[in-house]
Amino acid sequence: MIVSCLPEIGYLHRAFEKSSEKGSYTEVIPYTDRLNYCSAMMNNVGYCMAVEKFFDLTIPERGIYVRMIVSEMSRIMDHLVCIGTNAVDLGALTNFWYFFQAREELYDLIESLCGARLTTTYTRIGGVMADLPEGWAGRLEALLAKLYKVLEDVDGLLTKNRIFIDRTRGVGGISAEDAIGYGFTGPCLRACGVAHDLRKANPYMFYDRFQFDVPTGERGDVYDRYLVRMAEMRQSLRLLEQLLATLPGGPVNADNPLVVLPPKEKVYGSIEGLISQFELIIKGVQPPAGEVYVATEAANGELGFYIVSDGTGRPYRVRVRPPCFPLMSSMPHLVKGQMLADMVATLGSINIIAGELDR
Amino acid sequence: MTIEIPYIAAVLKAIAFPVMALNMIPVLVWIERRGSAFIQNRIGPNRANIGSFTFLGLLHPFADAMKFMFKEPFRPENAHPVFYFLAPALVVIPSLMALAVIPIADHVWVQGHEISMSVTELEYGIAYVFAVASIGVLGIAIAGWASNNKYSLLGGIRSTAQMISYELSLGLSVLGVLLIFGTLDLNELARGQGALLWGVLPKWGVFLQPVGFLLFVVACFAEANRLPFDLPEGDSELVAGYHTEYGGFKFSMFFMGEYVSMVTLASLIATLFFGGWQVPWMTTTALDAHLGELGRTLSQIAAFAVKIGFFLWLFIWVRWTLPRFRYDQLMRLGWKVVLPLALVNILVTALVLLLANGF
């Protein structure tokens, strides 16, 4: 029986926010990979959107589509890890392997997209590092069917499994009011029955153009979190299908020499290109003085970037609003009065990523 | 000086049976690893080799055994000097002893002497099995206590409570079968199941006592400390439970104990509920007439091997499919579900027998 609980955090503190003030705006992007490393792409996207807000940049449609595709892929990968490891903690190892095999194939796609698997650094301010490689969209499309199958397999193994339900139903539950009070966002909030999803509530990118539902639970316990995550993966697959079907052509990067590096042929072929390359590399992107806050719906909840610019090439302040932190701070509330084994189930279900929690 | 054939046979059996049982361990470990790999879409062990032959990974258990033997015998500073070393033996030896009364075929005649195909034949065989098997729990309790480690102690306590609770159900759930066949002798039990039921089905315990069979299988899983009842070593809560402080050959003895008791329990299930060595629809006399005594014995051994093979595979299959119970749920299941059902089952069986045979 758990009488009280005191989360002790900070063991993975890497001074993300302070380090961000030391380099140029572009140099922060690799740091964002290390926040929630299970869905690094979404951190890249969130950060770049925040910086772009200073400039009122218009990213070409294809660029935004590509960002949405990688975001939804990351959401699926993150949920796969969360449910897989949660099931392992409950003793069901096989689901983990099913999910990790699917995740592996998604990582293969990510790897051919940007050369790295976990630390992607794929987006750039004003667009993305590179367009989708040839045949990539087809490979992803072929993978979607496999992902549906994997979800079905694990659904069959867990959703109606009496032992799994006994272990998770009524465990680590929280009411909607308390959840909002703690600052819950993402799947854990939706499991309490609050249909709050930034993609719907405050549509960014092109989320308002596509059909998807916001799954919610009722009781806010571990089982509902599991159900919500499973349903969200299906919705992400649905989004990916629509995105791939309507993927437009054209450039992926904004046409703004103050922000985006010119293509190599311009750098070598014209003096204007060379100068803007030089300026961008030496001085970096220089947003006007001011402050922005951009929140995106990351896999775990609201991922916010608050950036203060003093008009130079370095951020004056970068503050991250991690979705994990409020979740972790509610741990004593979630597990009080429950058994020790429930602690394991609860901790797994709120999907703590220490990189993001401690920053 | 002539030595009587029964004595020679007794010595031979006393050597051959434990050797067979111990030889099943590496095979079982191999099946567990390859089987889990098969279930989980993995390749499984395939690296250990002699020359360039890997034998599908069959060499891994042998390599493991060698490694365990040559590891440094280590004792934690505060562990009890005697009991710490005694505990592993107390786990392995009783599980090997329990195998002594399990018959693998019907009696054979050697030069006019009737010889049983088990190490020894006891009128009260099943009672002996339960008596000896219950010593095993002492080993685990002592291991937990003597290691002087909180995880070990918790694992030891859990396992003591669990095994004692389920031993009760284990004993009660077979009473129905014992009532029907009116014997405690395992060979007699197997022989009794050779007849036909309504002229079609073999008169196996499982058809006469379906409830008893289910309860017995559940209790067997709990006795073997395997998933979904592996709380004594629940890795996400107790590191490795009662054997946390054990390494090298001492650990491998616990490991062996688990597999030998799997073999014992699988043979018990086969003997009590699936006719033991009975070849379905063929009695010993009929087989003797068709195949001769050697052929009959071999086919009975084969039938027995198939049956216990299936139940061993069931143990492995379930382990890689189900999550783990929580401690209170385990106790609730044991005391509030399995035990009352077993009692009701005995009552109904006794009443039916009473009515069928007249007062």
Side-chain angles (χ1 to χ4, degrees), chain B residues 137-161:
Chain B
V137 69
L138 280 180
I140 292 177
I142 291 175
W145 175 74
S147 322
N148 200 5
N149 171 314
K150 58 186 172 185
Y151 297 116
S152 304
L153 186 64
L154 280 172
I157 292 171
R158 275 186 179 190
S159 126
T160 316

Side-chain angles (χ1 to χ4, degrees), chain A residues 76-155:
Chain A
I76 294 172
M77 294 190 308
D78 198 278
H79 287 353
L80 289 175
V81 176
C82 174
I83 293 178
T85 49
N86 199 1
V88 169
D89 289 344
L90 299 176
L93 189 62
T94 299
N95 307 293
F96 174 82
W97 289 113
Y98 285 171
F99 270 177
F100 265 56
Q101 202 178 20
R103 177 174 174 260
E104 184 65 25
E105 294 190 31
L106 280 166
Y107 266 132
D108 284 346
L109 281 178
I110 299 273
E111 193 181 7
S112 59
L113 192 59
C114 60
R117 294 161 68 82
L118 255 89
T119 50
T120 49
T121 319
Y122 179 56
T123 58
R124 292 289 181 272
I125 296 158
V128 293
M129 181 199 88
D131 199 356
L132 304 179
E134 213 164 299
W136 193 87
R139 282 168 67 194
L140 178 58
E141 213 160 359
L143 184 58
L144 294 184
K146 271 192 202 169
L147 286 169
Y148 275 117
K149 175 77 176 59
V150 166
L151 288 181
E152 220 167 83
D153 284 346
V154 172
D155 212 22

Side-chain angles (χ1 to χ4, degrees), chain A residues 293-336:
Chain A
Y293 177 75
V294 167
T296 52
E297 182 71 28
N300 246 351
E302 178 178 334
L303 174 71
F305 283 94
Y306 171 69
I307 304 175
V308 181
S309 161
D310 56 0
T312 62
R314 288 179 186 176
Y316 181 75
R317 174 89 171 96
V318 177
R319 159 90 178 114
V320 181
R321 189 260 180 224
C324 276
F325 192 76
L327 299 176
M328 191 61 182
S329 67
S330 75
M331 264 311 272
H333 179 87
L334 294 177
V335 298
K336 200 170 182 179

Side-chain angles (χ1 to χ4, degrees), chain A residues 89-90 94 97-98 166 342, chain B residues 39 236 320 324 326 329:
Chain A
D89 289 344
L90 299 176
T94 299
W97 289 113
Y98 285 171
D166 278 353
D342 295 336
Chain B
I39 288 173
S236 53
W320 299 107
R324 179 184 304 130
R326 200 172 62 203
Q329 292 163 351

Side-chain angles (χ1 to χ4, degrees), chain A residues 60-74:
Chain A
E61 280 215 350
R62 186 174 171 88
I64 291 186
Y65 268 70
V66 170
R67 283 182 175 189
M68 284 174 77
I69 289 174
V70 295
S71 293
E72 292 310 314
M73 279 172 71
S74 303

Side-chain angles (χ1 to χ4, degrees), chain B residues 64-281:
Chain B
D64 280 344
M66 298 296 275
K67 179 191 75 179
F68 281 137
M69 272 187 238
F70 289 109
K71 270 194 169 177
E72 181 192 352
F74 169 79
R75 179 171 74 88
E77 207 172 318
N78 294 320
H80 193 284
V82 179
F83 291 145
Y84 177 74
F85 293 103
L86 190 65
L90 270 178
V91 172
V92 181
I93 293 170
S95 40
L96 274 172
M97 277 167 69
L99 271 174
V101 291
I102 309 252
I104 58 166
D106 205 352
H107 289 181
V108 290
W109 292 86
V110 181
Q111 297 181 359
H113 295 281
E114 190 176 13
I115 298 199
S116 66
M117 290 300 276
S118 53
V119 176
T120 179
E121 194 161 47
L122 297 173
E123 285 168 52
Y124 43 84
I126 184 88
Y128 164 83
V129 173
F130 289 145
V132 171
S134 63
I135 301 174
V137 69
L138 280 180
I140 292 177
I142 291 175
W145 175 74
S147 322
N148 200 5
N149 171 314
K150 58 186 172 185
Y151 297 116
S152 304
L153 186 64
L154 280 172
I157 292 171
R158 275 186 179 190
S159 126
T160 316
Q162 172 183 330
M163 287 174 88
I164 289 174
S165 316
Y166 278 86
E167 228 150 58
L168 215 60
S169 315
L170 193 73
L172 288 174
S173 53
V174 296
L175 273 187
V177 177
L178 302 181
L179 282 172
I180 290 172
F181 294 103
T183 175
L184 288 175
D185 184 336
L186 287 167
N187 197 40
E188 285 300 317
L189 268 171
R191 201 172 288 155
Q193 297 179 47
L196 288 183
L197 205 58
W198 307 301
V200 218
L201 283 176
K203 195 182 169 189
W204 284 355
V206 64
F207 300 119
L208 299 167
Q209 285 282 316
V211 180
F213 165 68
L214 286 177
L215 298 176
F216 189 74
V217 169
V218 171
C220 277
F221 276 97
E223 272 302 289
N225 284 335
R226 283 175 69 87
L227 269 171
F229 300 98
D230 73 337
L231 286 132
E233 44 186 300
D235 50 294
S236 53
E237 298 144 38
L238 295 182
V239 189
Y242 59 89
H243 57 64
T244 305
E245 293 287 1
Y246 283 90
F249 205 70
K250 292 190 291 300
F251 165 74
S252 95
M253 278 172 88
F254 282 119
F255 204 63
M256 282 155 64
E258 180 181 325
Y259 283 94
V260 174
S261 54
M262 264 167 72
V263 175
T264 314
L265 292 165
S267 352
L268 268 186
I269 298 176
T271 311
L272 291 167
F273 293 98
F274 286 85
W277 40 257
Q278 293 281 1
V279 180
W281 297 286

